[in-house]
Amino acid sequence: MSFKSFVRENPIYKRYILPMRKKYNAYIESKLDDEAYFIRRHKKIFGYTPDFKNPQTFNEKIVHRILYDRNPLYTALADKLKARIYIAAKLANLDLESEAACMSKANQSKELKEKFQALADSPTFLDPKSSSPLFAPIDTLTQLLFDTNVCPFLPKLYGIYKSVEDINFDELPNSFVLKTNHDGGGVVIVPNKEAFLRDSKAFGEAMEKLTKHLNTNFYTLFREWHYKDIEPRVFAEELLGESVQILQTQDLDSQKIENGNFHTSLQKFKVPDDYKFHCFGDEIFSETIIDRGIDTRCTFFDKNWKSIPVNITYDFAQRDIPKPPLFNTMFTISASFYEDIGYLRCDFYVLDQQLYIGELTMTPGGGCLPIRPYKYDAILGNFWSGIDKVSESKFKKY
């Protein structure tokens, strides 16, 4: 063990010195403007001083977008509720050849489908100076948000709330997920409502977690400007996944919320594998994550479903991952969003031969993704075109 590791493992360091260092670093960072904050953070993570006005790597280009590209559409799409309107409108007009997609679309209300087609066809749909719902106050959109349930590629929306006190659990089905719309990590999975409500400790922890998220502006944590003006809400949505047996029996007294998952005494909820499509236009890569929460692994694939020796965050999968059903539909959908946004990551789930969109992400990881091998940070950066060197006069401080 190195001397540095020895010091960091010392109980005195962990209990007294480390918290003081964190407070000091937080104080220093609070005094920095956004550009200085990201330069300092990048140097600490990657070991060199970046030039965000002339970005080269994938992570640098993510931060470039955060600092210099103030497109109001990013705020609308970072809002997990308003993003539903965009997705429903875009896909209402998209010609999807997948048999499963066509079967699902056949069940749509014709009137509602035409409503979203009209939205997508409107020349002002993406104009922040117009009356587009993407830029309207969230409380004026309640009915339209529930109308997005017509889109077969979105989980069903059950309720929207300003606070956890507003949640009427009697109106919710037996299983659901509670999320916050304005940030990341504000998730509580409830596969069994009766057990969840019966366990006062688990319920209290969940409500405390959601309330903390509601009261936190995500921008103040990570300086991603497009989260700053999102109106925070909690919403209840269809739960995608299944309960599976776990090896260790838990007593009722030990039930708790862990990483947003509610555990019953003999079961744990397993989310479906997700396919995170990084879309660079014609080039699309799938960051495919399997066995999340159990033994989370990740493999990168190109558009021909050929594995690539690169991973982000998680270790490589130790087993073959079959090409998912509806893969071509995922590709088509991602490319359609790229037309409006440029680079984005679109997250998909496949459950019972039905395709669902989880979320759209314009700045994955906030520009500090642990890409391995490191050379792929530059390789992926080369696929992200359309970013020019930014002069000092074009830089807009926030």
Side-chain angles (χ1 to χ4, degrees):
M1 177 184 293
S2 67
F3 178 74
K4 181 183 289 187
S5 298
F6 173 78
V7 170
R8 289 180 174 175
E9 292 300 317
N10 188 289
I12 295 176
Y13 175 82
K14 288 182 176 181
R15 184 170 182 178
Y16 299 105
I17 300 176
L18 183 58
M20 291 175 61
R21 288 190 63 181
K22 288 182 176 179
K23 287 183 179 180
Y24 176 73
N25 286 331
Y27 172 77
I28 294 297
E29 290 177 351
S30 70
K31 301 298 181 182
L32 301 175
D33 64 28
D34 286 359
E35 183 180 32
Y37 166 85
F38 281 110
I39 290 174
R40 183 178 190 269
R41 189 193 69 174
H42 197 94
K43 186 175 181 180
K44 184 162 51 176
I45 294 173
F46 297 103
Y48 70 93
T49 301
D51 179 6
F52 292 130
K53 296 184 180 69
N54 185 28
Q56 302 300 315
T57 69
F58 182 52
N59 278 300
E60 288 173 6
K61 290 186 176 183
I62 291 172
V63 177
H64 178 282
R65 171 175 277 180
I66 294 171
L67 286 172
Y68 309 120
D69 188 355
R70 300 298 170 93
N71 185 345
L73 181 60
Y74 299 159
T75 294
L77 299 186
D79 182 332
K80 294 181 180 65
L81 285 170
K82 287 187 178 180
R84 293 177 61 94
I85 297 172
Y86 173 82
I87 292 167
K90 288 288 292 187
L91 300 190
N93 270 337
L94 197 61
D95 182 19
L96 297 170
E97 298 178 356
S98 152
E99 179 181 353
C102 291
M103 288 173 61
S104 297
K105 291 180 74 174
N107 296 323
Q108 295 186 53
S109 157
K110 181 179 179 181
E111 181 180 353
L112 287 178
K113 179 182 175 183
E114 289 175 350
K115 175 193 286 190
F116 285 104
Q117 285 178 328
L119 268 180
D121 292 338
S122 169
T124 62
F125 182 51
L126 303 180
D127 183 359
K129 297 179 181 179
S130 72
S131 58
S132 168
L134 294 178
F135 311 102
I138 196 73
D139 289 340
T140 68
L141 303 175
T142 302
Q143 187 55 57
L144 184 61
L145 286 168
F146 282 109
D147 287 345
T148 61
N149 285 335
V150 72
C151 179
F153 302 101
L154 289 171
K156 291 293 182 286
L157 179 65
Y158 298 135
I160 306 168
Y161 318 99
K162 287 186 177 181
S163 71
V164 296
E165 288 79 13
D166 295 335
I167 302 174
N168 187 342
F169 288 96
D170 291 337
E171 296 179 349
L172 296 177
N174 185 56
S175 65
F176 54 89
V177 59
L178 295 171
K179 298 180 179 179
T180 47
N181 68 318
H182 68 300
D183 64 355
V187 178
V188 172
I189 294 174
V190 183
N192 186 316
K193 180 175 69 173
E194 181 180 349
F196 176 65
L197 296 177
R198 189 172 61 242
D199 186 343
S200 59
K201 186 174 184 294
F203 178 81
E205 289 175 351
M207 297 303 101
E208 182 180 354
K209 173 182 178 178
L210 292 172
T211 299
K212 182 178 180 180
H213 278 263
L214 278 174
N215 293 332
T216 302
N217 190 309
F218 200 59
Y219 164 77
T220 63
L221 297 179
F222 303 110
R223 304 291 186 95
E224 296 184 60
W225 70 269
H226 47 289
Y227 287 98
K228 186 176 183 181
D229 294 324
I230 299 175
E231 299 173 87
R233 296 289 186 272
V234 172
F235 64 100
E237 192 176 67
E238 179 182 2
L239 180 57
L240 306 177
E242 61 181 344
S243 293
V244 296
Q245 295 291 339
I246 57 176
L247 297 178
Q248 185 175 3
T249 302
Q250 298 174 319
D251 296 327
L252 286 177
D253 291 341
S254 68
Q255 294 174 4
K256 59 184 178 178
I257 295 292
E258 288 185 0
N259 300 322
N261 298 338
F262 176 69
H263 295 239
T264 63
S265 58
L266 293 175
Q267 293 183 321
K268 179 177 179 180
F269 189 78
K270 180 182 183 299
V271 299
D273 297 338
D274 52 312
Y275 306 92
K276 300 181 180 295
F277 273 51
H278 294 264
C279 186
F280 300 90
D282 291 337
E283 293 295 335
I284 296 182
F285 300 93
S286 169
E287 178 190 348
T288 300
I289 299 177
I290 63 172
D291 301 331
R292 186 185 289 278
I294 300 173
D295 182 23
T296 310
R297 300 285 179 143
C298 173
T299 298
F300 243 68
F301 294 93
D302 66 13
K303 60 186 178 183
N304 298 312
W305 201 249
K306 179 180 178 181
S307 63
I308 303 171
V310 58
N311 63 343
I312 297 177
T313 306
Y314 303 109
D315 291 332
F316 294 109
Q318 299 302 302
R319 60 177 172 84
D320 290 337
I321 302 176
K323 184 177 179 179
L326 308 176
F327 176 76
N328 292 335
T329 303
M330 298 183 202
F331 191 100
T332 301
I333 290 174
S334 298
S336 72
F337 296 150
Y338 177 85
E339 297 171 0
D340 298 328
I341 305 167
Y343 165 79
L344 80 152
R345 195 192 76 201
C346 185
D347 299 355
F348 297 96
Y349 302 98
V350 179
L351 192 66
D352 297 329
Q353 297 298 308
Q354 175 60 52
L355 181 63
Y356 297 93
I357 297 174
E359 65 176 307
L360 306 179
T361 305
M362 279 66 65
T363 55
C368 55
L369 290 170
I371 299 174
R372 302 187 304 270
Y374 177 70
K375 67 179 181 179
Y376 280 95
D377 199 1
I379 291 173
L380 290 175
N382 287 335
F383 287 112
W384 190 336
S385 60
I387 292 181
D388 300 320
K389 186 173 181 179
V390 178
S391 66
E392 200 65 43
S393 62
K394 291 177 66 176
F395 175 44
K396 301 178 181 178
K397 290 188 179 294
Y398 199 48

